[in-house]
Each structure stands twice: as structure tokens, then as C-alpha cells.
């Protein structure tokens, strides 16, 4: 019998504000903007967290780390991802791969892609070949194109451990 597989989809959006650095994928990027949110507002780690939780049918990031809880104010998203991953592992799942897209007009993602992927694999303690990351712009249209928001989408594939 083939292993059981599950696919998860995660998405997150945060508004931008003047002043850096930009926290994305667990690293700080020198930029003239940052993201607004209750935690550290790392859209990429939030999307990955939701994709893992969703694939394992364990709820979502808002249930695990509500933005109404004082202890989540300014919380490190790497810690949230690690906690969610521990729950997913405890439920008997392992990561096959994670594929992500960051939608941002700026900064360009390519110069930071390797460092971001390395940080994600460090948090999850998985092989770097299991994480894909792409950056897309808004082609200067809409909220993304005007630099008002940054979004991230993550898909993950889990298999029974």
C-alpha cells in the first residue's frame, strides 16, 4: 500500500509601513519598509505554518497563535513555525516538500532566496532540496504593485512517517 499523502495550502498578507528591516522567511532584509502585524508579521513563515497545519488537519495559525493573545505580540514567527511543525510530526507526518511564492513589488527576492531557504530548512530540520521559493511582483498594479502589501503562498506535501 502506498504511503498516505496530504497537501496543504497556506496564505498570508500583511500591510507595509515605512522603515526597515523587512522580516521575511525568518531573516531580516535591509529595506526601507517593514510589515505590520501582531507578531513579527513574517508572511512567508505564516503561510508555511498554515500549509503544514492544514495538510495535517490541525487547524490554522490563528487558532494556535491568536492575535488577541498578549503572548503573541511581537512573537517570532520561526518559533510559531517550529511549534506547528512539532505538532505535525507528533501527528505522524513528515515533509516531502514545500513550495512557496512571495508576491512583492520590492525588495527583489532573488538575492535573498538562498538565505531564506536555508533559514526555513534550519527551522524545520529538513534537507534544503525540500524547499522551493519564488518571488513575483505585482507588475506595478494593485496593492502588491503599489507596495502597499506583501503576500505569501505556500504549498506543502506531507507523507505518513
Amino acid at each position: 500500500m502506498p504511503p498516505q499523502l496530504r497537501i496543504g495550502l497556506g496564505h498570508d498578507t500583511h500591510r507595509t509601513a515605512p522603515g526597515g528591516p523587512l522580516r521575511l522567511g525568518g531573516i531580516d532584509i535591509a529595506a526601507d519598509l517593514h510589515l505590520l502585524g501582531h507578531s513579527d508579521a513574517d508572511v512567508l513563515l505564516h503561510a508555511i505554518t498554515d500549509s503544514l497545519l492544514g495538510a495535517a488537519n490541525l487547524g490554522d495559525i490563528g487558532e494556535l497563535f491568536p492575535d488577541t493573545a498578549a503572548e503573541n505580540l511581537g512573537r517570532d514567527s520561526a518559533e510559531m513555525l517550529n511549534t506547528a511543525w512539532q505538532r505535525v510530526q507528533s501527528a505522524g507526518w513528515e515533509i516531502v516538500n514545500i513550495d512557496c511564492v512571495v508576491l512583492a513589488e520590492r525588495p527583489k527576492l532573488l538575492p535573498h532566496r538562498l538565505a531564506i531557504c536555508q533559514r526555513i530548512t534550519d527551522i524545520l530540520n529538513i534537507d534544503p532540496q525540500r524547499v522551493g521559493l519564488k518571488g513575483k511582483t505585482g507588475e506595478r498594479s494593485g496593492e502588491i504593485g503599489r507596495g502597499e502589501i506583501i503576500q505569501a503562498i505556500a504549498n506543502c506535501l506531507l507523507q505518513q512517517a
Side-chain angles (χ1 to χ4, degrees), residues 12-18 22 33-43 46 148:
D12 197 29
T13 303
H14 283 276
R15 291 177 292 123
T16 62
L22 173 65
L33 59 99
H34 69 280
L35 295 172
L36 299 172
H38 188 73
S39 67
D40 66 5
D42 189 325
V43 293
H46 292 179
E148 297 169 5

Side-chain angles (χ1 to χ4, degrees), residues 107-129:
K108 295 294 183 192
L109 190 62
L110 187 59
H112 310 286
R113 185 170 61 191
L114 187 59
I116 291 170
C117 287
Q118 184 60 57
R119 179 67 180 128
I120 292 166
T121 61
D122 288 347
I123 295 166
L124 299 172
N125 193 29
I126 59 173
D127 186 293
Q129 295 299 314

Side-chain angles (χ1 to χ4, degrees), residues 71-150:
E71 65 269 16
N72 295 326
L73 182 62
R75 191 170 197 161
D76 184 350
S77 295
E79 179 186 314
M80 294 190 292
L81 175 56
N82 183 271
T83 299
W85 175 224
Q86 289 175 18
R87 288 181 179 221
V88 170
Q89 287 178 298
S90 293
W93 298 98
E94 64 185 18
I95 294 171
V96 175
N97 78 304
I98 299 171
D99 190 33
C100 310
V101 179
V102 173
L103 300 109
E105 193 67 28
R106 60 185 173 80
K108 295 294 183 192
L109 190 62
L110 187 59
H112 310 286
R113 185 170 61 191
L114 187 59
I116 291 170
C117 287
Q118 184 60 57
R119 179 67 180 128
I120 292 166
T121 61
D122 288 347
I123 295 166
L124 299 172
N125 193 29
I126 59 173
D127 186 293
Q129 295 299 314
R130 294 180 184 254
V131 177
L133 176 62
K134 298 166 289 300
K136 301 294 178 187
T137 68
E139 298 293 332
R140 297 191 181 122
S141 67
E143 293 174 303
I144 293 169
R146 291 189 299 270
E148 297 169 5
I149 63 171
I150 294 178

Side-chain angles (χ1 to χ4, degrees), residues 8-59:
L9 174 65
H11 172 269
D12 197 29
T13 303
H14 283 276
R15 291 177 292 123
T16 62
L22 173 65
R23 183 74 150 173
L24 189 62
I27 68 166
D28 287 330
I29 297 172
D32 63 352
L33 59 99
H34 69 280
L35 295 172
L36 299 172
H38 188 73
S39 67
D40 66 5
D42 189 325
V43 293
L44 181 54
L45 294 189
H46 292 179
I48 294 170
T49 300
D50 260 351
S51 72
L52 291 171
L53 290 169
N57 197 23
L58 296 174

